Amino acid sequence: MYRSDSDGLRAARDQLVRYSARLLDDGLAVGSAGNMSVRVDDTMAITPSGVSYAEMRPQDVCVVAPDGREPAGGNRETPSSETPMHLAIYAATGAGAVVHTHSPEVIALSAARTELPAIHYAITGLGGPVRVAPYVRFGSAGLAEAAVTALDGRSAVILRNHGAVTYGRDLAQAYERALLLEWLARVYRLALSYGEPAILSADELAEVTAESRRRRYGERRAAAAGDEQP
Ligand SMILES: [Zn+2]
């Protein structure tokens, strides 16, 4: 850790170490595979390349500017090989954090399907059915472009024969979405074992989204009313 770190950067380093350890426990990656990042002001804090999650320390987290360069005074670690993909997602979306996993259910699906369909209404939390982006080599600008294209209107994308990417307003939300995506892929696979599963229609998903919004609005009003109490 560096004395010149802002509070935001210090918090991002700690969060990235904490969630990286969870990545292994939750079965979303093995060894040092997968990576995650947090937007900090006009830079990005990202996990280093080739450091096992079990051994990662806050000072190993790398800082990268939007042009891909590391500001002076960085550490000795090399930023994740998927740095171009993370930067492209921040440039194209309002993401506050990005999580990239190598989780088995989504990878298995990606090898056989072009989309994860609406097997459960919770998929509205990811923006709807999740596309599988075409295969492009890891770490390439082409993969970054394919991921951004397939993310259109979604907060999740599956990368064919590779893994998945989710983003959110913060690392907690991006991570929850990675777990949700893996769970949905598992449910879909289980449903396929019974035969051809029923899939929710666009209208049914729109109804869920509208109802979720209505309820969130109600919660905000209740919370605001609660604030006024002595
Ligand atoms: Zn990867």
Side-chain angles (χ1 to χ4, degrees), residues 32-35 80-82 85 100-102 107 138-139 143 159 161-165:
S32 64
N35 38 72
S80 159
S81 55
E82 296 299 358
M85 182 168 70
H100 168 46
T101 65
H102 286 185
I107 297 172
F138 81 93
L143 179 61
L159 311 174
N161 299 107
H162 182 162
V165 184

Side-chain angles (χ1 to χ4, degrees), residues 84-205:
M85 182 168 70
H86 286 255
L87 289 174
I89 291 170
Y90 288 115
T93 69
V98 175
V99 171
H100 168 46
T101 65
H102 286 185
S103 45
E105 296 286 351
V106 290
I107 297 172
L109 180 140
S110 81
R113 306 274 155 163
T114 56
E115 183 185 77
L116 171 62
I119 190 68
H120 187 281
Y121 70 83
I123 207 165
T124 52
L126 304 175
V130 179
R131 302 177 193 100
V132 176
Y135 179 79
V136 190
R137 178 182 53 81
F138 81 93
S140 64
L143 179 61
E145 197 184 324
V148 166
T149 302
L151 272 171
D152 186 33
R154 305 285 184 271
S155 55
V157 57
I158 298 168
L159 311 174
R160 186 161 77 77
N161 299 107
H162 182 162
V165 184
T166 54
Y167 73 82
R169 63 176 174 266
D170 53 26
L171 193 53
Q173 189 181 51
Y175 194 86
E176 283 305 315
R177 286 174 171 169
L179 288 173
L180 173 62
L181 178 63
E182 181 70 359
W183 178 79
L184 287 165
R186 178 157 181 264
V187 170
Y188 182 51
R189 178 172 61 77
L190 291 172
L192 284 169
S193 70
Y194 290 104
E196 197 49 47
I199 298 301
L200 295 169
S201 68
D203 281 352
E204 286 166 332
L205 293 181

Side-chain angles (χ1 to χ4, degrees), residues 121 124 207-219:
Y121 70 83
T124 52
E207 186 193 11
V208 170
T209 303
E211 179 64 7
S212 303
R213 280 213 186 104
R214 194 185 68 78
R215 283 170 187 257
R216 271 203 302 275
Y217 179 69
E219 279 167 24

Side-chain angles (χ1 to χ4, degrees), residues 1-15 58:
M1 221 107 53
Y2 302 97
R3 236 180 271 169
S4 60
D5 277 7
S6 66
D7 289 349
L9 181 53
R10 220 167 284 150
R13 289 181 189 277
D14 289 342
Q15 275 180 9

Side-chain angles (χ1 to χ4, degrees), residues 5 7 38 49 62 69 87 114 127 129 147 185 198 210 227:
D5 277 7
D7 289 349
V38 175
S49 174
C62 300
R69 269 183 280 196
L87 289 174
T114 56
D227 289 345

